[in-house]
Amino acid sequence: FEYSNQVGFDWALNVPKRLSLMDEALYANLGRANSGLGPEYSDEDLQRIRDGVEYVINPVDTNRYIYYNQKDLVKQLVRDRSYMQNHNLSVRGGSDKLSFLISLGYYNKQGVFKIGPDQLQRYNARINLTAQLTSKLSLDSRISYTRENQDAPVSATDGNALLYQVYRLRTRWPLLTPEGRLNGEGGSSGNNTYAQLRDGGYNNRNRNYFDGVFTFRLANVVKGLQLRAIYGVQYRLEDRERFARTLELWNRVRPSFFLNNPNVFEITRGTRLNNNIQLLADYNIKIGNNHNIQLLGGYQWEEGRFSSVFSSANNLVSNDLPALNLGNDLTKVNNQTIETFAYQSYFGRANYSFSDKYLFEATLRLDESSRLAPGNRRRVFPAASVGWNLHRENWFAKALPIFTEFKL
């Protein structure tokens, strides 16, 4: 048995710190002055910032607050460090005719946000089995399975999305109103990121990967001849569900801003199946002490099919129960994507060497692809090469002993 683990964390480097609210206010006033406009922050506003006042009721519109938030949005929403852990357990054993390896693994990685869905989990298993079935026939099989669960926010983190709102937009707007509701002042700001992370929904993916490679090898059918049959398969399943819940962001007394309006629920189901078959024959023969001949012939077939079904519905009658049948029938979307391909190849290669000094190689292959237009799908590719290992010549080794290998 073997067990290993790894625990660590990462963090972002060279990330600029946010300005304090006072610096932000002074620069905002300076920018407006340079544009010939009046200040955004009055002397009274600046004094409230110095005094640590968090908000006052707007005397012009008593339905709203004037905010002076000085709590760092980045520290409230973004992790200083994201932790990860990785665990692996394996067992191996067997005999001269049968050997095996079984391994299990688990991986977990936190996202950058402190709240909301933002993590990755992965489980994997592997079985390797090698068996000597007869004196000439052997089987080598390698089977693996991986399951990956990715929980993510409903909105993207790049571009002008969640991280942009935290790092680039105004500090003055707090995440919540004094009443504890989601804050709608400021339009697009860091409080939008908080709302999306906490209540906005999710964008989750579950992936299942199955892989297998099976190799039958028949050795010394006649002296120097080896036959191989290889079958490989890849099977991929991916499920994605995305739910964007409509959110009310409030001023003092009523909702003033909405996110994810209308709400939407999306489901994607995708499968991919690839099959690969190879039939190979290797023949090696040595004639006398100086002549070596290697022949390789083979056939390869590969086919693949991808299928994906997508459905979505918006204006769900329930904002807390994501289900396609609760959406507006007039706006429902359903579509399916299917992609298929197939390749096949015939190929051969001949190698000849004399005393490992003079080399010759010739290859010939015929490839056929379904991705090309009819009439252009089949092509033949011949190739040939010659070589000279100069370092094996006695005169070269004497003339240039600094070279251990020199080939033309």
Side-chain angles (χ1 to χ4, degrees):
F1 289 89
E2 294 182 7
Y3 170 75
S4 63
N5 68 78
Q6 183 180 19
V7 178
F9 55 87
D10 54 47
W11 65 95
L13 297 175
N14 298 322
V15 177
K17 294 182 178 180
R18 289 201 60 119
L19 294 174
S20 68
L21 179 59
M22 177 57 72
D23 288 338
E24 185 179 289
L26 294 175
Y27 279 116
N29 284 353
L30 178 60
R32 290 175 66 88
N34 291 336
S35 300
L37 302 174
E40 178 179 342
Y41 294 84
S42 66
D43 291 339
E44 185 178 13
D45 291 328
L46 297 176
Q47 187 58 47
R48 287 170 178 163
I49 294 173
R50 296 186 186 97
D51 295 339
V53 176
E54 295 184 358
Y55 64 90
V56 297
I57 296 176
N58 191 333
V60 178
D61 182 357
T62 57
N63 292 326
R64 304 177 63 184
Y65 291 106
I66 299 176
Y67 288 106
Y68 307 102
N69 173 63
Q70 299 194 55
K71 295 178 181 178
D72 192 322
L73 297 176
V74 175
K75 291 183 179 180
Q76 293 182 81
L77 297 175
V78 180
R79 298 181 190 275
D80 294 329
R81 295 177 177 85
S82 296
Y83 289 87
M84 60 78 64
Q85 56 178 320
N86 191 15
H87 303 271
N88 292 283
L89 175 66
S90 63
V91 56
R92 66 182 70 213
S95 61
D96 293 340
K97 293 187 176 181
L98 179 67
S99 62
F100 66 89
L101 167 68
I102 301 174
S103 67
L104 300 172
Y106 171 73
Y107 173 82
N108 177 267
K109 177 73 169 64
Q110 290 179 332
V112 298
F113 293 111
K114 290 182 177 181
I115 59 175
D118 192 20
Q119 70 167 341
L120 174 69
Q121 291 185 337
R122 183 186 301 124
Y123 306 86
N124 61 273
R126 175 178 292 275
I127 299 176
N128 293 347
L129 180 66
T130 300
Q132 189 67 42
L133 303 178
T134 68
S135 60
K136 295 184 178 182
L137 180 63
S138 64
L139 168 65
D140 180 77
S141 62
R142 300 175 183 273
I143 304 171
S144 65
Y145 166 72
T146 300
R147 178 175 177 84
E148 189 173 274
N149 303 324
Q150 180 182 355
D151 300 334
V154 65
S155 297
T157 57
D158 55 355
N160 295 333
L162 300 181
L163 285 175
Y164 175 89
Q165 294 172 2
V166 173
Y167 280 98
R168 294 293 301 274
L169 303 182
R170 294 298 182 87
T171 297
R172 70 179 301 175
W173 316 113
L175 304 180
L176 300 172
T177 69
E179 296 78 19
R181 304 188 185 101
L182 296 173
N183 184 16
E185 297 287 357
S188 180
S189 61
N191 50 31
N192 290 5
T193 294
Y194 174 77
Q196 292 282 29
L197 291 173
R198 197 191 77 172
D199 298 330
Y202 52 83
N203 185 11
N204 296 341
R205 298 173 187 266
N206 295 322
R207 302 178 179 93
N208 292 275
Y209 297 158
F210 300 87
D211 295 273
V213 178
F214 306 89
T215 303
F216 285 93
R217 181 178 286 104
L218 187 61
N220 292 321
V221 180
V222 295
K223 184 178 180 180
L225 177 61
Q226 176 179 263
L227 303 178
R228 285 178 292 163
I230 304 171
Y231 171 65
V233 59
Q234 291 182 330
Y235 187 50
R236 303 284 188 261
L237 294 171
E238 179 170 337
D239 296 336
R240 172 180 173 266
E241 291 190 0
R242 179 180 180 271
F243 175 50
R245 179 185 287 111
T246 298
L247 299 176
E248 295 179 342
L249 278 62
W250 286 66
N251 58 24
R252 182 167 174 251
V253 297
R254 65 174 63 91
S256 62
F257 192 70
F258 293 88
L259 296 175
N260 307 329
N261 191 23
N263 57 20
V264 61
F265 182 51
E266 302 172 350
I267 295 178
T268 305
R269 300 285 187 264
T271 61
R272 184 182 297 274
L273 176 63
N274 293 335
N275 291 293
N276 188 304
I277 297 174
Q278 297 181 60
L279 304 176
L280 303 171
D282 293 283
Y283 183 59
N284 299 322
I285 184 172
K286 185 173 183 179
I287 302 175
N289 295 324
N290 298 322
H291 304 278
N292 288 285
I293 300 173
Q294 296 179 336
L295 301 175
L296 169 68
Y299 170 78
Q300 181 177 6
W301 165 267
E302 182 179 359
E303 65 173 359
R305 175 186 173 88
F306 170 76
S307 177
S308 176
V309 177
F310 172 81
S311 296
S312 71
N314 59 27
N315 283 308
L316 277 65
V317 296
S318 171
N319 203 32
D320 296 309
L321 182 61
L324 294 175
N325 60 351
L326 297 181
N328 185 340
D329 290 337
L330 298 178
T331 60
K332 289 182 178 179
V333 175
N334 297 284
N335 61 54
Q336 183 179 21
T337 300
I338 296 177
E339 298 176 1
T340 60
F341 71 89
Y343 303 124
Q344 69 173 351
S345 300
Y346 301 87
F347 51 88
R349 184 182 68 206
N351 295 84
Y352 170 77
S353 70
F354 178 78
S355 296
D356 203 24
K357 296 180 182 180
Y358 314 111
L359 312 173
F360 172 78
E361 179 178 287
T363 63
L364 180 67
R365 64 179 299 134
L366 183 151
D367 293 328
E368 189 172 7
S369 170
S370 67
R371 295 188 183 275
L372 302 177
N376 295 311
R377 292 179 172 175
R378 179 176 295 185
R379 285 289 184 272
V380 177
F381 302 94
S385 64
V386 295
W388 184 10
N389 282 324
L390 285 169
H391 65 281
R392 296 192 179 276
E393 301 287 356
N394 293 330
W395 58 266
F396 184 88
K398 293 179 181 178
L400 297 169
I402 61 173
F403 293 101
T404 58
E405 184 171 349
F406 196 102
K407 181 178 179 181
L408 294 178

